[in-house]
Amino acid sequence: MRSATVVTTSEDQTVALGRHIGGLCTAGDVVLLSGELGAGKTCLIQGIATGLAVSEYTFSPSFVLVREYHGRLMLYHMDFYRMETPAEVLDLGIEEYLDGDGVCAIEWAERAADHLPREHLHIGLQYVPGAENSRRILLTARGSRYEDMLQQLTTATRSFAQWN
Ligand SMILES: Nc1ncnc2c1ncn2[C@@H]1O[C@H](COP(=O)(O)OP(=O)(O)O)[C@@H](O)[C@H]1O
Ligand SMILES: [Mg+2]
């Protein structure tokens, strides 16, 4: 499966979706997130952390570039919101995270798309006009590893998520 869309109607549902993604993650996985401020990127990553059995709460890292969380796998949570040019991202030296055995989850990933792995799960979150607590979430798998993951995710979440 290459792409799938789901609408969540609460923060809890977005976190639950993230939790299932975290449960499916394996060493070296990369999850790239995009969407406006308040779209729910950080909420979703909090869910991924829970799914990876991380015990600490994950705060938004808008002011700190990389946060590390110890779970079943390491989770590296990055936020490129403050990156003005892709070159700044290169200067960060995040290759060691991207090439390592942890899971990388990156907010505002589009700010450095050319410098990130071509194979990844992309998650785009959008507001739904007129529905304050709803978000349309489009998942796109780039690479067969992520196609498998997406297939499993849609099956695992069928009880609470209507996929299109
Ligand atoms: N369906 C939903 N999914 C995720 N967040 C939601 C949803 N509905 C309302 N919210 C609210 O939107 C905000 C999302 O914040 P956050 O995850 O920090 O966004 P971002 O990281 O994209 O800037 C939170 O205040 C959350 O309570
Ligand atoms: Mg955020």
Side-chain angles (χ1 to χ4, degrees), residues 22-33:
L24 291 168
C25 279
T26 57
D29 278 346
V30 176
V31 181
L32 306 182
L33 298 100

Side-chain angles (χ1 to χ4, degrees), residues 11-21 43-44 47 153 157 160:
E11 173 178 343
D12 285 354
Q13 275 189 3
T14 299
V15 173
L17 179 65
R19 185 156 40 75
H20 279 91
I21 294 171
C43 284
L44 203 137
L153 180 70
T157 55
F160 73 94

Side-chain angles (χ1 to χ4, degrees), residues 32-102:
L32 306 182
L33 298 100
S34 46
E36 291 174 55
L37 277 179
K41 302 178 294 300
T42 300
C43 284
L44 203 137
I45 294 172
Q46 284 166 11
I48 293 177
T50 307
L52 284 166
V54 168
S55 48
E56 311 101 306
Y57 191 82
T58 63
F59 289 100
S60 171
S62 288
F63 298 95
V64 179
L65 214 89
V66 181
R67 287 201 172 183
E68 306 185 353
Y69 297 92
H70 295 258
R72 175 171 64 79
L73 298 165
M74 287 294 294
L75 172 65
Y76 302 111
H77 178 181
M78 299 172 223
D79 188 335
F80 293 166
Y81 182 59
R82 285 171 195 284
M83 295 288 106
E84 293 188 353
T85 64
E88 279 181 56
V89 173
L90 272 186
D91 286 346
L92 297 170
I94 56 170
E95 297 78 11
E96 65 180 277
Y97 293 106
L98 293 169
D99 298 340
D101 287 338

Side-chain angles (χ1 to χ4, degrees), residues 99-159:
D99 298 340
D101 287 338
V103 174
C104 289
I106 308 180
E107 298 188 44
W108 294 95
E110 66 273 24
R111 304 219 160 158
D114 292 346
H115 303 299
L116 296 173
R118 282 203 312 142
E119 297 210 349
H120 57 256
L121 179 69
H122 181 266
I123 305 179
L125 299 101
Q126 294 177 329
Y127 288 97
V128 176
E132 197 186 334
N133 293 322
S134 293
R135 300 291 187 271
R136 178 166 290 106
I137 303 178
L138 171 63
L139 294 99
T140 308
R142 306 218 197 276
S144 56
R145 150 76 193 127
Y146 299 97
E147 289 181 24
D148 290 348
M149 187 201 237
L150 192 50
Q151 186 71 55
Q152 290 180 55
L153 180 70
T154 52
T155 305
T157 55
R158 220 172 274 286
S159 62

